[in-house]
Amino acid sequence: MPKSKRAKVVHLSKVEKKGKELSERLFANVREAADEHQYAFVFDVENMRNNYLKEVRAEFSDSRIFFGKTKVMAKALGTDAASEHLPNLHKLSAHLAGNVGLLFTSREPAEILEYFANYAQTDFARAGVVASSTFVVPEGVVHSTGGQVPASEDTPLPHPVEVTVRKWGMPTRLDKGKVVLDQEYTVCKEGQTLNSHQTALLKLFGVHMADFKIQIKAYYSAASQEVTVVDSMEE
């Protein structure tokens, strides 16, 4: 008989076991990294992009970077003096909140702080991101960059796209095979939280509004056995 194509039942015990194994591995790896390196940094990621995080990992190939469950990482460091892995390391756990990760390295803090203060990558915004500027498409024939360059240096938007941009909220129409706006259209305003239609239009016109940044929140020194909180303004 042929095998049934019906969905098979997956027992929760198997799923929980796998999740537990991953957590145990993360826990062990964090503690191992703490023993191997002189410093432990907690960093916060803004506008997370995996491809840019890979760049950072490549830059710090001599170090260890962890981006996993914050509760597991906090438990590995220690949540109080009684459970801490190294003296005063539990004080770093207080900063493990939000979209954060851990960097273990033997490079000096000054080098780390300078690197991340100067590191940023610009990308297309996703829904939920706050617009960094106002973007307006001028009236008349709509061009591929939405008016960012002179019309003589641009190309008209392909007419098959007209249906799509109209679906995304732009009040366009076709005139002799060209996509036209009867009046200028504001795609977004600075400080506005973007929705999926706005981000789609911004991407279509090649407008980047998301900066991938990593900010150091605090770090631990094995030599001094102290945690230093980093002021974002000073950084």
Side-chain angles (χ1 to χ4, degrees), residues 42-45 116 213-217 230-232 235:
V42 173
F43 61 86
D44 178 81
V45 179
F116 286 116
K213 294 180 180 179
I214 291 181
Q215 177 185 325
I216 301 297
K217 300 180 70 176
V230 178
D231 189 321
S232 58
E235 185 185 353

Side-chain angles (χ1 to χ4, degrees), residues 163-179:
V163 175
T164 302
V165 296
R166 186 152 35 86
K167 183 181 67 176
W168 290 339
M170 283 186 65
T172 55
R173 63 182 177 85
L174 283 176
D175 183 9
K176 298 179 181 179
K178 293 185 178 181
V179 183

Side-chain angles (χ1 to χ4, degrees), residues 7-19:
K8 294 182 179 180
V9 176
V10 178
H11 295 287
L12 292 177
S13 57
K14 292 183 179 180
V15 177
E16 291 172 357
K17 183 178 179 181
K18 184 178 180 181

Side-chain angles (χ1 to χ4, degrees), residues 136-143 180-185:
V136 179
V137 180
E139 66 177 295
V141 177
V142 181
H143 288 77
V180 175
L181 277 172
D182 291 328
Q183 59 184 22
E184 67 176 23
Y185 178 74

